Amino acid sequence: VTGASFVVFNGALKTSSGFLAKSSIVEDGLMVQITRETMEGLRQALRDKKDFKITCGKVDTGDVKEHVDICWVENEEKTNEG
């Protein structure tokens, strides 16, 4: 679990890169590089206020260890305290 001040979603990751998605810490935030297709799915999920999961790692390995989860919560006040 990583806490971040901001999140950047970059939809320029090429399918030919061999990655499903890539995440990296940038200063005090998180940058998630995703494909164009994943970006379209993320945008639709945000419009519909639905949870969305991005799986990070190489396409050809079955051992995926990172996920970026976008979750809608009932009570923002408790989530964002402090």
Side-chain angles (χ1 to χ4, degrees), residues 8-42:
V8 175
F9 294 101
N10 178 343
L13 185 67
K14 304 287 183 202
T15 308
S16 61
S17 71
F19 285 91
L20 297 166
K22 293 162 98 178
S23 66
S24 55
I25 296 172
V26 180
E27 295 182 17
D28 60 342
L30 179 69
M31 180 171 68
V32 185
Q33 298 175 357
I34 56 180
T35 62
R36 184 177 185 164
E37 294 80 17
T38 304
M39 180 65 87
E40 290 171 10
L42 173 59

Side-chain angles (χ1 to χ4, degrees), residues 37-77:
E37 294 80 17
T38 304
M39 180 65 87
E40 290 171 10
L42 173 59
R43 286 180 179 154
Q44 189 60 50
L46 292 173
R47 281 187 211 105
D48 297 341
K49 295 185 178 179
K50 303 270 184 180
D51 293 351
F52 193 79
K53 183 178 220 172
I54 299 170
T55 303
C56 300
K58 288 206 166 252
V59 173
D60 56 357
T61 61
D63 187 28
V64 179
K65 295 183 180 167
E66 290 183 21
H67 298 279
V68 176
D69 293 316
I70 295 95
C71 303
W72 291 88
V73 295
E74 293 291 324
N75 187 348
E76 288 186 33
E77 292 173 19

Side-chain angles (χ1 to χ4, degrees), residues 77-82:
E77 292 173 19
K78 289 183 182 177
T79 304
N80 293 324
E81 282 181 11

